[in-house]
Amino acid sequence: MSLGKEVRNFRESYNLYTLDESEVSSNPFVQFEQWFASAVEAGVKEPNAMSLATSYEGQPSVRIVLLKGFDEKGFVFYTNYQSRKAQEMAQNPRAAVSFFWAELHRQIHIEGAIEKITAAESDDYYASRDRGSRIGAWASTQSSIIPNREVLEQKVAEVEARFEGLEEIPRPENWGGFRLKPHYFEFWQGRVSRLHDRIAYIPEETGNWKIVRKSP
């Protein structure tokens, strides 16, 4: 564990951009879209990869998932409804997501309520997936314990045989999408000496968003 002592010496100087209240959009969804477009333009690998944090009975858990759509209704991702994260969201329908784009020295943190999207929306996305991913949705009992890899591969073979010759594979009922409906946004821009810019959006009763600066 010699590297354990060296971790504290890993440092990156953040000095690419600044972020000021006067520069951001009054609408956090517009601000997100602008930053997301910048990440795509900068060639960030999988800019839609986000950390999804959930909790149940006080125990938090986090994992990386892929954002598959967003608008002013919220941020959409997909999973097996029997997975650990899905079960946690069913018990506690609140979650948070974070994006980190190292190439731009930027993070976005979003908190909100969770809801299932409609079956039609899930069907539409499922149909757009490649065949192997559609097969995988049937084969994997996500988050369950299995004795070895061969069990999974055997299940894939069984599902492939079941749908052999069929171009359209129906979406399994235990697989679909969730939407995070935000009630908090924070945009983080790395700065020198760890004096980062943090601009947050907090909803007001008027339906508008209050923009505040937070101390790093």
Side-chain angles (χ1 to χ4, degrees):
M1 297 292 290
S2 59
L3 277 178
K5 295 181 179 180
E6 302 300 321
V7 170
R8 66 181 183 178
N9 296 321
F10 294 168
R11 293 183 176 88
E12 179 72 24
S13 179
Y14 298 134
N15 55 8
L16 291 179
Y17 305 102
T18 63
L19 184 64
D20 190 81
E21 299 92 318
S22 64
E23 300 171 347
V24 299
S25 170
S26 60
N27 185 326
F29 294 96
V30 172
Q31 184 65 32
F32 177 88
E33 185 169 31
Q34 291 173 350
W35 269 27
F36 190 85
S38 295
V40 173
E41 184 178 353
V44 172
K45 187 174 179 59
E46 291 196 294
N48 60 326
M50 60 186 185
S51 299
L52 169 68
T54 57
S55 68
Y56 175 58
E57 294 185 344
Q59 175 59 53
S61 59
V62 65
R63 75 290 291 161
I64 304 296
V65 300
L66 297 179
L67 176 70
K68 290 299 182 179
F70 66 91
D71 54 26
E72 293 209 9
K73 292 187 295 183
F75 297 79
V76 175
F77 58 95
Y78 295 84
T79 189
N80 186 308
Y81 288 144
Q82 297 173 345
S83 65
R84 175 179 174 176
K85 57 184 171 294
Q87 294 298 311
E88 290 174 345
M89 290 185 291
Q91 296 292 330
N92 177 14
R94 294 181 295 275
V97 297
S98 289
F99 297 83
F100 177 54
W101 299 321
E103 295 88 341
L104 300 175
H105 302 169
R106 286 176 175 171
Q107 296 183 58
I108 303 176
H109 176 70
I110 306 169
E111 300 174 6
I114 289 290
E115 66 178 15
K116 279 187 178 181
I117 65 174
T118 67
E121 290 175 293
S122 290
D123 287 342
D124 181 66
Y125 174 69
Y126 180 82
S128 74
R129 304 180 92 205
D130 64 80
R131 185 179 181 84
S133 294
R134 284 177 282 162
I135 292 289
W138 280 93
S140 175
T141 54
Q142 193 175 112
S143 299
S144 66
I145 296 174
I146 57 176
N148 50 52
R149 175 78 185 188
E150 286 71 24
V151 169
L152 177 62
E153 293 175 347
Q154 177 61 37
K155 184 63 176 179
V156 169
E158 292 172 0
V159 175
E160 287 178 336
R162 174 182 175 182
F163 294 114
E164 184 177 5
L166 298 178
E167 178 58 32
E168 293 189 12
I169 301 173
R171 175 179 63 88
E173 292 184 0
N174 65 339
W175 189 96
F178 287 97
R179 177 180 288 109
L180 175 73
K181 301 174 64 176
H183 58 235
Y184 178 82
F185 286 81
E186 184 177 315
F187 294 83
W188 180 99
Q189 179 64 63
R191 297 289 300 275
V192 296
S193 301
R194 299 302 188 256
L195 298 175
H196 312 304
D197 290 325
R198 295 173 60 191
I199 304 298
Y201 291 76
I202 302 171
E204 298 182 303
E205 292 183 0
T206 60
N208 296 322
W209 294 85
K210 181 180 181 180
I211 299 174
V212 299
R213 173 176 287 269
K214 289 195 166 185
S215 174

